Structure formats: C-alpha cells, structure tokens
Amino acid sequence: MMKNMKIIFSFLIISQLYTTLAAQTFVDTTVQNKKAVLEVYTGAKGTFDAQGHKMADDLRALDTTKMTIINVHTTSFAAPGLQGGILYPDYRTGYGANFFSAAGGTGVPTGSMNRMLFPALGITSNTAMSRGLW
C-alpha cells in the first residue's frame, strides 16, 4: 500500500513539474516592428468590391513588409448565384459572418485595421470602416 502511494505521489509530482515547464514560453520582450492587418469584408458580386480590393492592394504596395490583407468573404454578395450572366460559387467562409457582425459591418467592402477603433476618424464603436477611411 505504501509503495503504491509513493508511486502515485511521484507520478503526480512529475506530472505537475512537466506541466509547469511545458507551459512556459520564452519570448523576446524587446520592441518589435509592428505590422498592420487590414481585414477586408468583401463579396464577389458587389459594385464596389473590386475598387475596395484595389484600394487595399495600393495601401499594401506602399510597404509590403508592414501590411497584411485578409479578405473575409461575407454577406449575400459572397453567396452563390447567377448575376450578370456569371455563375458565382459560394465564397462565404465559416466565420466570415461572425467577424463581419462583430466588427459592426453594414456593407461591403468595409474593413477593420488591426481591429482597433479610430476616434479621430469617427470610428468609435465598430471597427469596420468604409474603404475611404483605410
């Protein structure tokens, strides 16, 4: 009985030690260069979607090392269907509607820059902003 208790106790100590050591992630605490992330809420059939993509690409072209664009296809403009003689597939993503809703999006294309508010631009409650404010 005592031998079993020692084995169980030893196992528990080793497990706790392993969990504690394995949970530690050492990271550099020096200041790093930041990268901007523009999440573009878009569709395929919207009137201004192509213009929104061009505007995002033009921004990224200013310095490709400091900006990332993530296109989130959402709304009925990304749903499958026939429009203008073109049969569109389903471009919607599993979480696109959730991201769009959480950002407070009301139309496409809109976008969130680093999921931040920009009070100076009037962006005070939702992170989604029109393409003209990117």
Side-chain angles (χ1 to χ4, degrees):
M1 179 80 155
M2 192 59 129
K3 185 176 181 180
N4 288 341
M5 291 299 287
K6 285 182 181 181
I7 292 172
I8 292 172
F9 184 71
S10 297
F11 175 75
L12 290 174
I13 295 293
I14 291 170
S15 297
Q16 181 63 38
L17 182 62
Y18 174 77
T19 303
T20 302
L21 292 176
Q24 300 301 315
T25 302
F26 301 103
V27 295
D28 189 359
T29 58
T30 58
V31 176
Q32 302 290 319
N33 292 329
K34 293 184 178 181
K35 202 166 192 181
V37 177
L38 175 62
E39 291 173 287
V40 179
Y41 309 109
T42 186
K45 300 178 281 188
T47 305
F48 299 105
D49 284 319
Q51 183 186 40
H53 290 295
K54 173 139 179 33
M55 292 174 83
D57 289 341
D58 288 348
L59 281 173
R60 186 171 179 270
L62 296 173
D63 189 343
T64 58
T65 64
K66 292 188 178 180
M67 185 170 182
T68 298
I69 300 169
I70 300 171
N71 291 311
V72 179
H73 290 84
T74 186
T75 74
S76 61
F77 291 108
L82 185 64
Q83 182 175 329
I86 299 171
L87 180 59
Y88 288 91
D90 192 353
Y91 288 113
R92 295 171 297 180
T93 60
Y95 291 99
N98 294 336
F99 291 149
F100 184 66
S101 176
T106 56
V108 294
T110 56
S112 295
M113 182 66 76
N114 292 341
R115 294 186 179 174
M116 294 176 56
L117 299 175
F118 294 91
L121 298 174
I123 309 301
T124 58
S125 61
N126 298 317
T127 61
M129 60 185 106
S130 68
R131 65 193 180 282
L133 296 176
W134 299 344

